[in-house]
Amino acid sequence: MWLKYIGSCIICLIITVCTQAQSWQWGVRGGSGVDNSIGQETVVDMATDAHGNVYALSKVNGASGSITVGGISKNTYGGSSDMIISSHNCNGVLRWIKCIGTNASNDTPTAISVDGANNVYVSGFMPPLSTTLYFDVDTIQLNHTKNFFIVSYDSSGVYRWLKQPGSDTITDLIRQDRFKRYSDMVGSPSGGVYNMSYMPKGLLAGGDGVVVPQDGMYITQYNANGNIVSLTPLDMQVNPQATNFNNLRLVRTLSGKFMIAGKQSVSGPPPLNYTLYMGGQKINHAMFCGFFNSAGNLIWKKANTDTLNAGAFTFRPVYYNNKFYFGGGTIATDTINGFIPVNTLSTTLYGLPIVVVFDTLGNLVWGSNASTVQSGSNPAGVVVFNNKLYTGGSYAHQLKWRNSITLNNPLNSGTKLFVAALDINTGNNLFVDSIKGTVGYNDKGDCIVGDNKGNIYLGGSIGANVTVNGQVISSVGGTSDFFIAKFGTANCSNAVVPITLKAFTAHLKQQQVHCNWQSVQEVNSSHYIVERSVNQINYSNIATLPTTGSGNQYNYTDYLSKELQQVTKTLYYRLALVDKDGSTSYSSTVAINLSKQQQIQVYPNPVKDQLTLVFPYAAEKLQVLQLYSLQGIMVLQTYLNAHTQILTIPVKKLSKGSYLVKVQGHSTVVVIKD
């Protein structure tokens, strides 16, 4: 949703979603012009922004010398594979391209994400001992022991920053290399990104003094400027030497909880060789998901029951209306939390696309699956919009989703692309549609995303020719080229804006801040979030109010604590408007002036057991706090998280005497231990 400002009011444009039938609108291809003998050129991940632009992260043949997308050529950098970022607008017009790679083998893209400010984030890794990574025209010298990277661009493709969050103190290349197996990202609605990855023990590179206490899975939050805000350990243990993961994907809820889903693969018979643990509980089967709270502790986990190393959640789940929607594939003898797929077309066991829905307590809401003839189905995930669920991928001989018309493809003639729409409440099929391809070649749907206009984008690879809306798109790269296709309507000039809002105001009265606003119209809206900041950079959620109907008046009173009044001069308030699909926009910001800003305070002083520190403003990123004796010996170290202004530390075990408290960006404070 977008906000349009007229005078002192905040007014949203409301345009009804087109009711015309959805269909394939356009398709584009990209790739090299030579036979890709080292593996498929395909789309690995996709994302969309608030303006309806789509971003694709693809793997291409780096040894080819060049690739083309939309008639534009880019040089590659050698080796067996490089990475391509391409952005198209809603009409399929190419906006920009970036090529990332080294001259070594197997440069591998992992994830792409967009935040609420339309900044783009890409992660990937290069092989160990690579020393130079090329970002289009920029050449960046890299430390070869830190092969994982995160790079950020603005929505126009302008380079913003690069991070290599490997340890500065680790020299074990094998441990550094584990980044590539366990990594995903999700953008923050307020700006920045949450990265999930396997982190080796040690001092993080460029991490502002952040130390990873032990090898393991972590969520690292970066703000929009690339600074680390928080580092959260996940209660998820892996044995990388025995276990590998496919499509390990991350979702974050509005309340700060995390859902992780994917597939673990092993070489031997399960369950003995499965070595993934969540919350200390072993995951004994291939398909799994785990729900974690904001501190990284496991709330619940789920896994399938099949013992044939079958079943997978194949792409990023969707969180919508307090439910999790998963897309994947399995076999007809499998069970997923009580849901048993049924194949009505054939006795073939393999290749059934599925959708399962859990509530936040882990209860199965419903499950649905397609029937197939002949294995070879490749499901690509789910999209939820306007009370419909969309899924897609590819199929081999025949595919039928419950009551849908059967899609037919000649026997042993390769795989073809499809999308299906399901009723969000029941899982009943509304329709299926496919893309015509050349007989005998494989077209694969690997990932699916939606925009805020109700359009669906399917990405993957094509083997020869496919026809999209009358246009023939040809693979010129031998075994495969990557492709993106839009399924939706010709609505690119329209915006879907669920809320029309009158002016958001805030005023101070008797040490209370009164926030007020009124809606003009609410369509598919979910709730409002009142946010407060002391620096106009980092905002905290201080209240959540559900939408109650068009034309209603809302108000919230923020009772200011004594500590908060002592440490800041100005408070900033804004309103986040959240619709049912989780998209968020913001009101204008209102500044509230308080009394004069105070210096950093410590109390009690002298202190016996617990020392409380009150900072004049919240930290913009994770900071190191250290306590020194007057002889210069560090006796305590801890961390000040972003958004934190009040911190309590234990000092009971310290000897009597005077100590210095040092925090980056603050004056040194003297504390007397009694």
Side-chain angles (χ1 to χ4, degrees), residues 109-273:
T110 57
I112 189 168
S113 184
V114 176
D115 68 13
N118 297 319
N119 297 311
V120 182
Y121 304 89
V122 173
S123 64
F125 69 94
M126 71 292 299
L129 303 181
S130 300
T131 57
T132 304
L133 181 62
Y134 297 90
F135 288 86
D136 226 25
V137 297
D138 300 315
T139 303
I140 300 176
Q141 299 296 321
L142 299 177
N143 186 320
H144 70 274
T145 65
K146 290 185 279 293
N147 57 350
F148 180 78
F149 70 87
I150 301 172
V151 63
S152 178
Y153 300 91
D154 68 16
S155 61
S156 300
V158 177
Y159 171 85
R160 299 176 66 244
W161 51 260
L162 170 71
K163 295 292 180 180
Q164 283 183 271
S167 171
D168 271 337
T169 55
I170 190 173
T171 57
D172 183 351
L173 293 180
I174 295 177
R175 290 166 64 207
Q176 291 281 12
D177 196 45
R178 293 175 189 170
F179 272 116
K180 69 184 181 182
R181 300 185 188 176
Y182 327 109
S183 179
D184 195 25
M185 296 188 301
V186 58
S188 169
S190 58
V193 70
Y194 294 86
N195 172 251
M196 172 189 66
S197 55
Y198 187 94
M199 306 284 276
K201 178 181 178 180
L203 180 67
L204 285 190
D208 304 304
V210 177
V211 177
V212 178
Q214 61 184 7
D215 289 9
M217 297 293 295
Y218 291 84
I219 302 287
T220 308
Q221 180 188 1
Y222 293 88
N223 66 16
N225 296 320
N227 300 315
I228 294 179
V229 176
S230 62
L231 181 70
T232 303
L234 285 171
D235 193 0
M236 176 177 171
Q237 299 79 38
V238 297
N239 180 354
Q241 296 176 347
T243 304
N244 196 12
F245 293 108
N246 295 329
N247 294 309
L248 192 65
R249 294 299 186 180
L250 174 71
V251 174
R252 183 177 181 270
T253 71
L254 295 173
S255 61
K257 298 181 177 69
F258 298 97
M259 171 61 72
I260 299 171
K263 172 187 173 68
Q264 59 175 336
S265 301
V266 294
S267 57
L272 297 179
N273 282 2

Side-chain angles (χ1 to χ4, degrees), residues 611-626:
L611 179 67
T612 299
L613 298 95
V614 182
F615 296 88
Y617 52 86
E620 298 180 13
K621 57 186 178 181
L622 196 68
Q623 291 181 304
V624 179
L625 184 149
Q626 297 169 325

Side-chain angles (χ1 to χ4, degrees), residues 251 316-320 323-326 382-384:
V251 174
R316 198 170 286 114
V318 170
Y319 177 69
Y320 178 80
K323 297 180 182 67
F324 292 101
Y325 298 82
F326 298 83
V382 295
V383 171
V384 175

Side-chain angles (χ1 to χ4, degrees), residues 331 451 606:
I331 63 179
D451 65 13

Side-chain angles (χ1 to χ4, degrees), residues 464-542:
N465 297 332
V466 295
T467 303
V468 182
N469 196 20
Q471 176 188 5
V472 177
I473 302 166
S474 300
S475 170
V476 297
T479 57
S480 67
D481 278 350
F482 72 83
F483 87 97
I484 308 161
K486 174 189 172 183
F487 183 85
T489 57
N491 59 352
C492 293
S493 62
N494 295 341
V496 178
V497 185
I499 299 177
T500 302
L501 186 70
K502 283 190 175 180
F504 171 72
T505 63
H507 64 276
L508 179 67
K509 183 178 181 181
Q510 296 179 345
Q511 307 310 311
Q512 301 172 6
V513 177
H514 300 270
C515 304
N516 300 277
W517 67 97
Q518 181 180 358
S519 69
V520 176
Q521 184 171 347
E522 297 172 356
V523 180
N524 287 328
S525 56
S526 175
H527 60 277
Y528 300 98
I529 300 175
V530 181
E531 298 185 345
R532 182 182 66 202
S533 174
V534 296
N535 56 14
Q536 281 193 290
I537 299 175
N538 304 113
Y539 283 84
S540 58
N541 177 354
I542 61 173

Side-chain angles (χ1 to χ4, degrees), residues 353-394:
I354 64 167
V355 173
V356 292
V357 185
F358 298 142
D359 63 21
T360 53
L361 298 178
N363 300 311
L364 177 70
V365 180
W366 56 262
S368 181
N369 74 277
S371 299
T372 62
V373 174
Q374 196 180 43
S375 62
S377 172
N378 186 64
V382 295
V383 171
V384 175
F385 185 84
N386 200 25
N387 290 320
K388 291 181 182 179
L389 182 145
Y390 298 85
T391 186
S394 49

